[in-house]
Amino acid sequence: MSELSHYRYIDALRGIAFLGVLTCHVGLLLKPTFPGYDVFMMGARGVQLFYLLSAATLLRSFSLRGAQERFPIRNFFVRRLFRIAPLFWFAMALYYWQMGARPRYWAPNGLQTWHFVTTALFLNGWTLTSINSVVLNGWSVAIEMTFYLMLPFLAKRITTIWGGITATLCATSIAIILDRALMPILTQTTPQNEQVLIPFFIYSWFPSQLPVFLLGFVLYSCLQNETVMKMLAGSERPAWLVIAAVVGCLGLASVPKEAGWEIPLHVYDAIALMFLVLAVHIRPFAWIVNLFTCRIGVI
């Protein structure tokens, strides 16, 4: 298998992930009654698509470099830090220059020193008012950085498709338990003007997103498995995988948030998106993998 991180389809899917998130943010300017509003909001799943791709490509890179480098784990952390931190810290400075520490939606009582410290250390994903307040939408970077800390440990222990599936099921079960336990605690201890932040925090904190990364382990193992690839490589099967992914995501987008599903909807979305990645790996459809999407992904 070629170097996974250099595949054009990976760049294209990263571009689509970005465009999805951009579409979601445009949708936030619309009213919920706007036709197609749920489809706009579905673009938020670009984050889960990025997490899947991140896990798969980093596993490939970690495996290759581990056989070549003397200190692969140390080098991995150094590369991740210098790839993410400089621009993120610049974003912190830029937002502070624009908004200072005054109250905002994500921090109704304003920012304090600890908000900046936790964000600079990428620990902002663990508290209600820091997860998204210093750097707008910085939550996804905090979650990604937490995953980086766990990757060397997980990569040595999850090495098969069934291992990835088992880990995903365990992580999902733990997430459900933690989310259910945390909700009443936050409701009772959070000031009234910060209560609106609780649902987003429950969705976005690391335990809720970990199953998506672990599905990336399943994806990587599938891509490495010749038997699975041959099984999916039939003439019409990639197209059916794409259809399943699109129908699955569209169907989930129309499910009311109060439907009471045990498993978080974004985990189901990640499964559908995994089908998409597998399909495009086998057959890079031109309407998905093209100059535009690849260029956006590279940028």
Side-chain angles (χ1 to χ4, degrees):
M1 174 175 166
S2 302
E3 174 57 64
L4 182 61
S5 62
H6 289 169
Y7 278 173
R8 289 185 73 246
Y9 83 90
I10 294 292
D11 289 334
L13 290 174
R14 283 173 175 154
I16 290 172
F18 164 76
L19 293 172
V21 174
L22 180 64
T23 299
C24 171
H25 283 265
V26 171
L28 291 174
L29 303 176
L30 306 174
K31 295 181 179 180
T33 55
F34 184 85
Y37 177 81
D38 289 336
V39 177
F40 274 90
M41 292 297 99
M42 190 180 69
R45 294 300 175 250
V47 174
Q48 279 71 46
L49 177 55
F50 180 81
Y51 286 167
L52 282 172
L53 297 172
S54 177
T57 55
L58 286 175
L59 280 170
R60 177 64 174 171
S61 175
F62 194 75
S63 174
L64 291 175
R65 292 179 184 274
Q68 301 170 358
E69 297 178 345
R70 184 178 179 184
F71 303 106
I73 295 178
R74 182 201 64 184
N75 295 345
F76 168 77
F77 287 138
V78 170
R79 283 192 298 269
R80 292 296 98 193
L81 180 66
F82 281 94
R83 185 181 181 91
I84 303 297
L87 189 58
F88 189 76
W89 291 336
F90 174 76
M92 287 182 61
L94 182 63
Y95 274 107
Y96 181 74
W97 175 67
Q98 288 184 326
M99 303 182 65
R102 66 177 182 268
R104 61 206 66 189
Y105 177 84
W106 298 106
N109 297 315
L111 298 179
Q112 301 176 27
T113 301
W114 69 267
H115 287 100
F116 294 97
V117 173
T118 55
T119 302
L121 296 175
F122 301 100
L123 299 174
N124 52 302
W126 295 97
T127 70
L128 187 69
T129 58
S130 69
I131 190 169
N132 230 17
S133 57
V134 177
V135 176
L136 186 61
N137 296 306
W139 72 272
S140 59
V141 177
I143 303 309
E144 181 81 14
M145 291 293 274
T146 304
F147 169 67
Y148 291 161
L149 290 177
M150 298 185 65
L151 180 64
F153 173 83
L154 295 173
K156 290 184 178 181
R157 289 160 178 80
I158 305 175
T159 58
T160 65
I161 295 174
W162 287 112
I165 292 173
T166 301
T168 301
L169 291 174
C170 290
T172 302
S173 300
I174 292 171
I176 293 171
I177 294 171
L178 290 176
D179 290 350
R180 287 193 169 189
L182 187 61
M183 179 65 79
I185 295 174
L186 289 177
T187 301
Q188 296 172 11
T189 59
T190 301
Q192 189 62 38
N193 64 340
E194 295 177 356
Q195 295 272 330
V196 68
L197 306 178
I198 295 176
F200 179 83
F201 180 78
I202 294 294
Y203 153 75
S204 58
W205 75 317
F206 183 73
S208 289
Q209 296 296 326
L210 178 58
V212 179
F213 288 106
L214 294 177
L215 283 170
F217 282 66
V218 178
L219 171 63
Y220 173 70
S221 295
C222 288
L223 293 172
Q224 294 287 98
N225 190 300
E226 292 184 6
T227 302
V228 173
M229 289 295 98
K230 288 180 180 178
M231 182 181 69
L232 298 178
S235 59
E236 302 299 330
R237 288 172 186 171
W240 282 112
L241 285 173
V242 172
I243 292 172
V246 173
V247 171
C249 287
L250 287 174
L252 291 167
S254 63
V255 175
K257 292 182 179 180
E258 63 274 11
W261 289 38
E262 292 295 329
I263 297 178
L265 292 179
H266 65 271
V267 177
Y268 287 109
D269 277 309
I271 295 172
L273 292 169
M274 187 171 64
F275 293 157
L276 174 64
V277 179
L278 289 170
V280 180
H281 171 82
I282 297 167
R283 185 179 302 171
F285 299 95
W287 57 277
I288 297 178
V289 183
N290 51 62
L291 182 62
F292 174 72
T293 56
C294 287
R295 185 57 180 165
I296 291 293
V298 170
I299 293 174

